[in-house]
């Protein structure tokens, strides 16, 4: 995600202040995303060109919900990202994290690649993971649940 310019950043803060004051305000246009991976995901209008991605956490009966802010993107990008994002608690460290499933290759993704192209596709995905991991400044923590991804190879042994 590119850094937002000052004007847009100011609009994001104004959006968050309005959301905090009254999440039902019509100008916010808080809308669920049909067919999304996580039914709690919403987008809200920052301005005509940008939308914020939020997760709506329902409160106890009679209380206002809590919204978790994931970020702000150009309108169409925000919609596409919201469709495939989910909120979860990291089981290792307990940190709440918003995850975009499209950036983590899944078994389903690899199954869609013809069998003769799978070794090359796995190598390409492993190379992308290496580039991303090598940009860590101080530390890199890799966690998984269940079976370790084939992308990790022997790197964690």
């Amino acid at each position: 995600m590119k850094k937002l310019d000052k004007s847009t950043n100011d609009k994001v803060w104004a959006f968050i202040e309005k959301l905090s004051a009254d999440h039902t305000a019509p100008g916010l246009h808080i809308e669920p995303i049909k067919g999304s991976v996580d039914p709690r995901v919403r987008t809200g209008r920052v301005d005509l060109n940008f939308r914020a991605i939020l997760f709506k956490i329902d409160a106890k009966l009679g209380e206002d919900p809590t919204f978790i802010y994931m970020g702000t993107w150009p309108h169409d990008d925000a919609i596409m990202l919201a469709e495939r994002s989910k909120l979860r608690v990291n089981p290792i460290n307990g940190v709440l994290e918003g995850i975009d499933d499209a950036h983590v290759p899944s078994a389903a993704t690899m199954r869609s690649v013809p069998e003769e192209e799978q070794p090359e596709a796995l190598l390409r995905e492993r190379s992308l993971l290496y580039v991303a991991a090598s940009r860590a400044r101080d530390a890199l923590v890799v966690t998984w649940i269940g079976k370790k991804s084939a992308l990790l190879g022997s790197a964690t042994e």
Side-chain angles (χ1 to χ4, degrees), residues 122-135:
L122 184 61
L123 180 60
R124 186 172 47 251
E125 293 298 329
R126 192 180 258 164
S127 297
L128 288 171
L129 176 61
Y130 173 80
V131 169
S134 66
R135 293 189 178 169

Side-chain angles (χ1 to χ4, degrees), residues 1-69:
M1 177 177 137
K2 292 171 31 177
K3 188 173 179 177
L4 299 174
D5 63 46
K6 182 174 178 359
S7 171
T8 305
N9 195 43
D10 291 345
K11 291 176 185 176
V12 169
W13 282 111
F15 168 83
I16 291 172
E17 286 177 13
K18 289 178 193 172
L19 180 67
S20 297
D22 181 7
H23 72 278
T24 63
L28 295 175
H29 293 274
I30 305 296
E31 301 167 355
I33 305 298
K34 292 180 183 174
S36 62
V37 172
D38 190 326
R40 301 169 297 181
V41 75
R42 305 284 189 272
T43 63
R45 180 186 286 171
V46 172
D47 67 13
L48 290 175
N49 298 312
F50 286 88
R51 291 194 72 80
I53 297 178
L54 311 161
F55 291 92
K56 181 181 178 186
I57 310 302
D58 290 324
K60 295 176 185 171
L61 189 62
E63 294 181 19
D64 287 337
T66 297
F67 289 91
I68 308 295
Y69 172 77

Side-chain angles (χ1 to χ4, degrees), residues 47-113:
D47 67 13
L48 290 175
N49 298 312
F50 286 88
R51 291 194 72 80
I53 297 178
L54 311 161
F55 291 92
K56 181 181 178 186
I57 310 302
D58 290 324
K60 295 176 185 171
L61 189 62
E63 294 181 19
D64 287 337
T66 297
F67 289 91
I68 308 295
Y69 172 77
M70 184 171 167
T72 299
W73 286 267
H75 182 281
D76 293 346
D77 294 342
I79 301 298
M80 288 190 314
L81 182 59
E83 288 173 344
R84 22 175 236 255
S85 295
K86 63 183 173 183
L87 186 68
R88 72 173 193 176
V89 175
N90 183 306
I92 305 300
N93 59 20
V95 173
L96 197 58
E97 54 190 14
I99 298 175
D100 168 14
D101 280 348
H103 288 96
V104 180
S106 65
T109 302
M110 291 306 289
R111 280 194 299 269
S112 67
V113 175

